[in-house]
Amino acid sequence: DQQVKQNSPSLSVQEGRISILNCDYTNSMFDYFLWYKKYPAEGPTFLISISSIKDKNEDGRFTVFLNKSAKHLSLHIVPSQPGDSAVYFCAASVGGGADGLTFGKGTHLIIQP
Amino acid sequence: GAGVSQSPSNKVTEKGKDVELRCDPISGHTALYWYRQRLGQGLEFLIYFQGNSAPDKSGLPSDRFSAERTGESVSTLTIQRTQQEDSAVYLCASSLFSRVGSPLHFGNGTRLTVT
């Protein structure tokens, strides 16, 4: 029973264009969402987060959108750069805590030159 | 060091052997987590330590898995009588505290291969 779903295993985007990574969740109790980025042979690194009281959070080239009614969130990266090529994990938690984070399977983003 | 350190980075073991994985969290981080990532899967929560509280072991897949943490420092994850399905990358993470605004800082993981 996957509570956090990233249905696209991979995504290829041209450098300079917008990358949109999607994440769906089933547990309506989730109230805090995070995106992590992972390079090969390294651990995931925190990228951006959003609380359920917001519908958008922006940090530089990265923006996360939350649609609670659809139980959907997305990460937008614009403009996409070669260094953005990585696996992106969506994660969710109940009560805003970092304990018990539920992760999706990840989307491998490939930025084409 | 500045980050979470895990050792060994790679471990190959024969089925049935015991293995011990080590994690050095960031100094001062009270919360420590173990996750594993099997091939093609997301990160699966295993166990969580917070200060001197009893650990949350709800994610451990079987009684062959155990973990300890000494105070607010080093943690070891032990897998007894390893099975092939235990092959995965085992990731340790720490955070300053376990609340929002304190994201997890991950180590580079230990890649365990059980032959």
Side-chain angles (χ1 to χ4, degrees), chain A residues 31-34 36 46 48-51 57 93 95-99 101, chain B residues 29 33 94-105:
Chain A
D31 58 5
Y32 193 65
F33 305 89
L34 307 92
Y36 281 82
F46 170 72
I48 193 169
S49 63
I50 188 167
S51 164
N57 189 26
S93 73
D99 51 302
L101 277 178
Chain B
H29 280 195
Y33 311 78
S94 68
S95 66
L96 192 55
F97 41 82
S98 67
R99 299 304 305 164
V100 62
S102 182
L104 304 184
H105 298 263

Side-chain angles (χ1 to χ4, degrees), chain A residues 10-31:
Chain A
S10 67
L11 175 67
S12 185
V13 174
Q14 199 167 10
E15 182 179 355
R17 300 287 183 98
I18 183 171
S19 296
I20 301 176
L21 297 102
N22 293 303
C23 178
D24 296 289
Y25 60 96
T26 58
N27 187 347
S28 58
M29 298 297 290
F30 286 144
D31 58 5

Side-chain angles (χ1 to χ4, degrees), chain A residues 25-102:
Chain A
Y25 60 96
T26 58
N27 187 347
S28 58
M29 298 297 290
F30 286 144
D31 58 5
Y32 193 65
F33 305 89
L34 307 92
W35 285 93
Y36 281 82
K37 174 180 178 179
K38 185 182 184 301
Y39 292 119
E42 294 184 11
T45 55
F46 170 72
L47 193 57
I48 193 169
S49 63
I50 188 167
S51 164
S52 61
I53 63 172
K54 293 186 172 183
D55 54 18
K56 176 182 175 182
N57 189 26
E58 190 172 351
D59 183 1
R61 296 186 299 112
F62 303 91
T63 303
V64 56
F65 295 92
L66 175 62
N67 182 334
K68 290 186 288 292
S69 61
K71 295 193 181 69
H72 176 84
L73 65 155
S74 60
L75 174 68
H76 292 212
I77 307 172
V78 56
S80 300
Q81 298 175 354
D84 297 331
S85 295
V87 177
Y88 290 79
F89 290 98
C90 172
S93 73
V94 176
D99 51 302
L101 277 178
T102 302

Side-chain angles (χ1 to χ4, degrees), chain B residues 34-36 44-49 55-68 76-79 90:
Chain B
W34 283 97
Y35 285 82
R36 75 174 174 183
E44 177 187 3
F45 167 75
L46 297 178
I47 188 169
Y48 156 61
F49 296 89
D56 175 358
K57 304 180 182 179
S58 60
L60 294 179
S62 79
D63 59 8
R64 296 185 296 105
F65 288 72
S66 63
E68 293 183 348
T76 54
L77 176 69
T78 302
I79 310 173
Y90 288 81

Side-chain angles (χ1 to χ4, degrees), chain B residues 25 29-32 49-53 68-75:
Chain B
H29 280 195
T30 61
L32 185 146
F49 296 89
Q50 172 62 55
N52 294 319
S53 302
E68 293 183 348
R69 187 180 186 193
T70 308
E72 291 187 352
S73 61
V74 172
S75 176

